[in-house]
Amino acid sequence: MRADRASYRKEYESWIGSLAAAGKLVGGEALETEHTAPATVRTAADGTSTVTDGPAHAGDETLGGWFIVEVADRTEALELAKSLPAPETVEVRPILESA
């Protein structure tokens, strides 16, 4: 999607709009990916930290943002992710609920 972002933007925005209209979209934000590279901080068991430029996990894909959606279960979350009409990767994770 990075290579042809403009051509998919309308489809992507329509998908987000449909989640919001269905009452599924709780929140989310885009991440700045054009001008500032991510940094990774790793803290060892002894308390020392190292900082490196770049993502925590190397690869061709970048994290462009995140959404919080209200769903009944993991199956529904996966179906929503599969409905994105653009060639994009969606990682689905649950939010840790406090007791």
Side-chain angles (χ1 to χ4, degrees):
M1 188 164 162
R2 289 179 85 194
D4 203 7
R5 185 173 292 175
S7 69
Y8 294 110
R9 185 174 254 341
K10 187 173 184 176
E11 290 177 23
Y12 188 74
E13 289 175 352
S14 176
W15 179 73
I16 303 255
S18 70
L19 293 179
K24 299 293 181 185
L25 184 63
V26 176
E29 293 291 336
L31 298 174
E32 201 292 305
T33 59
E34 295 295 318
H35 303 98
T36 306
T40 300
V41 177
R42 287 188 172 85
T43 303
D46 66 3
T48 60
S49 297
T50 57
V51 178
T52 55
D53 288 332
H57 303 284
D60 293 337
E61 297 178 353
T62 62
L63 180 61
W66 54 271
F67 299 104
I68 297 174
V69 293
E70 183 71 38
V71 294
D73 53 28
R74 185 174 194 265
T75 300
E76 184 181 1
L78 294 172
E79 289 304 313
L80 288 178
K82 289 184 339 186
S83 72
L84 175 61
E88 185 65 88
T89 299
V90 177
E91 182 175 327
V92 175
R93 291 181 178 231
I95 294 175
L96 181 63
E97 307 235 359
S98 57

